[in-house]
Amino acid sequence: MSQAMDLAGSYTLRPGVPHSIEGRRPVMGPGLLGQLLRGQQGEAVERSLGHLFTLCSHAHRRTARLAINAANARQEQRLPNAPPVCLWLETARDHLRSMALDWQRRQPGSLSHADPLAWLRDCPLAMNHSTSQITNDQAWEALTQLRHWIEARLLDQPVVRWLIHHREPDALAQWCRSHAPNLPPAHMLHRWHGLAHPLKPALRSLNLLNLDPVQQTLALQALAYALASDKHFAQRPSWQGQCAETGPWTRLRHQKKPTTSVISAWTRLASRWTELMEIAAIQPHASAPQTTELLGSGALQIDKGQAIAWCEMARGLLLHWVQLDVQGQVLDYRVVAPTEWNFHPQGVLARALTALAPQDTVSASALAAAFDACVECQVITPTAAESAHA
């Protein structure tokens, strides 16, 4: 196994047993990122993190720049932050790639779609991430082209109209059923519905971000302290004494939208499709409240040379903490990514897996897809000895 694979790590899920999740990402291990990045500064830190976290590299690069700029006392060393539209565009790209590649291989049984990327062939948004910077105007133009493609090729109607009629789970499920024969993402969501919708793990949202800026500052300060003082926190994070989950269904903007709908494994999966539509619906020069709440990102200086930054990306909330020296070079660096919240061995997913029958690997696979690890994840049947101790 290569060093890159060793750093990436993997997870193994076993339904029906108390210890249902095993595995970790060594790159998140105690002190490792700090050692790898020590002495680097500015764009070099971004590049290194982009190479370490290739699947979500754009989000890590963005969050790294926010953190370093907030921690850096030297104004001349601060780099310009990318506009929010760049985050929306890259998140849309992440959702599309996941639907085409990850959803295909996580489906139960075999699928008839031999070429999972066929439905994306004329998509104006290339599926490969680019490390080159684009301007605000270029990003808006790309997002506009994406909206036109979605409306013409996927929805056959304006995306705003689609959102009005299909946000609720039942309406979305019916839409997926009627479009399953012709649209692979709808086909896969339809296939998942009967299996994943009855799976209703208790919702424990990571409500770290807050609509009240004072409360948000206090929460981020507390989390930064926990991250800085506990060398194991990045691999086993908790919030307010509990494990928490994060994903498109736990966004800050959802806090002010009361709903009576129960969040199931299926609605967690479907939230990616709905968020893709919400991103595509944003128009240039939209009102500030409409755009700033779509996907939050920012940074907070904690102490001299120390800052924490956050970014709502495709898989959930990403957090970076950095400590710089007086020259602006990294002394220590830590990252908490969505996978570590969602695949915590005592978390929501772990409890849901334990509640399954030991042979129910199909439901376990649906749960794994809903919580969406960014590293290799396999579901296996527990041994007879493990099942006997369940």
Side-chain angles (χ1 to χ4, degrees), residues 43 89 106 141 148 168-169 211 218 270 277 287 309 339 364 378 390:
E43 290 181 310
L89 190 65
R106 289 170 176 169
E141 176 59 27
H148 292 162
E168 293 303 313
L211 296 169
L218 292 173
M277 299 305 131
S287 63
T339 295
Q378 63 173 337

Side-chain angles (χ1 to χ4, degrees), residues 55-60 62-63 83-99 125-127 129 139 143 146 150 247-248 251 253 271-280 294-297 311-318 372:
L55 198 59
C56 306
S57 61
H58 72 91
H60 282 278
R62 179 187 187 88
T63 314
V85 64
C86 292
L87 174 60
W88 308 334
L89 190 65
E90 293 297 340
T91 302
R93 193 195 318 265
D94 282 340
H95 283 320
L96 286 167
R97 279 180 54 85
S98 181
M99 291 167 194
L125 189 60
M127 290 300 101
H129 289 290
L143 191 59
L146 177 65
I150 286 175
R251 301 297 194 204
R253 68 180 185 274
S271 67
R272 277 96 174 171
W273 178 263
T274 303
E275 182 166 274
L276 173 64
M277 299 305 131
E278 290 173 330
I279 292 171
L294 183 60
L295 293 170
S297 64
C311 173
E312 288 185 315
M313 37 84 83
R315 285 179 166 83
L317 182 65
L318 175 65
D372 195 20

